[in-house]
Amino acid sequence: MGRWFGGGGLLLLALFMLVGFLRADVDASAPATLVAVLIGVGLPAFGGVALIARPGARRRLARRREELRRQTLEAEVLRLAGRHGGRLTVVEVVTELAVDADDAKQVLDALMVGGLAEIEVTDSGMLVYTFRDVASLPHKSSARGLLE
């Protein structure tokens, strides 16, 4: 709603400035006059149209926020997996990261689909997400070249 008022205000300003230039007693072909018209009329008109016409800016912002939230949660889950020896359950993610069970399950499943985790099942039926790469991080100092 605010962008409509802002855009409309800028368009009215551009119209007011255009009327002022048309009624002024100036040489319309002078370069200084053309630059003044461009700045005084063109910039507010462009800004007004840009404010009114930009489609879906709020939706893009909401999508970007959700994507950043998801990426942050994935990073926190991976950090948590590092503290738990590369093995996590949904309950551990829920209790330590203060997210609901659905979000925890979604992020764990997304990491599994992305190839960063595997699911194992205990004898009692509990799902355990295993992060083999995270569990192997302490051994990275012993890495050698592929041809060695």
Side-chain angles (χ1 to χ4, degrees), residues 66-87:
E66 184 57 33
E67 177 68 19
L68 286 172
R69 181 185 171 285
R70 185 190 58 75
Q71 289 173 347
T72 302
L73 188 55
E74 285 181 0
E76 289 298 321
V77 166
L78 290 171
R79 187 173 294 124
L80 182 62
R83 291 196 309 255
H84 286 264
R87 300 169 67 85

Side-chain angles (χ1 to χ4, degrees), residues 17-43:
M17 295 297 286
L18 180 63
V19 169
F21 275 113
L22 293 176
R23 296 181 139 223
D25 201 17
V26 294
D27 180 17
S29 64
T33 304
L34 294 175
V35 170
V37 169
L38 179 66
I39 292 172
V41 177
L43 289 179

